[in-house]
Amino acid sequence: MIGPGDNGPVLAFGAHTTLTGVRLATGERYEIPLDDAPDVRRLGQRSETSETTVVAVEDAHAVQVLDPETHEAVTVPRPDFFDPDGESGSNPYQCPRRRDAV
């Protein structure tokens, strides 16, 4: 996961000649030539995430999930692509294991 600018984090899939990935907030594809890529910082790696359970949809902007380590309900931003009416198990939410990766 990288943080390119103010438009939210990107889950990067590749960075050869083009930086490609998906914006976590919207599900929008992200692609930019490396020469034009903004300064980014690594927030974490996909291997540092855990699948968790959605507890409640609070509103159009937030959901509650169970922290996979403490099992406490935690409010997180709701991605635009998240379907609040989806069936159980259809929306796994990847929760960063490291607090500094949020």
Side-chain angles (χ1 to χ4, degrees):
M1 288 183 286
I2 58 171
D6 295 333
N7 294 327
V10 170
L11 178 59
F13 300 128
H16 300 303
T17 58
T18 302
L19 178 60
T20 59
V22 63
R23 288 203 180 276
L24 294 178
T26 63
E28 176 185 357
R29 182 171 171 78
Y30 182 84
E31 188 170 319
I32 190 167
L34 278 181
D35 293 340
D36 299 334
D39 289 336
V40 297
R41 67 181 175 98
R42 176 177 277 178
L43 302 176
Q45 296 183 18
R46 186 176 218 162
S47 63
E48 297 174 323
T49 63
S50 297
E51 192 169 300
T52 188
T53 302
V54 174
V55 176
V57 177
E58 291 190 352
D59 57 32
H61 305 288
V63 294
Q64 278 192 346
V65 297
L66 285 181
D67 182 303
E69 293 178 359
T70 66
H71 302 287
E72 294 179 29
V74 178
T75 300
V76 296
R78 181 179 138 195
D80 292 345
F81 60 86
F82 181 86
D83 179 7
D85 299 322
E87 294 182 18
S88 177
S90 64
N91 290 307
Y93 195 99
Q94 294 293 318
C95 183
R97 289 184 189 154
R98 293 185 358 225
R99 295 279 181 212
D100 62 341
V102 173

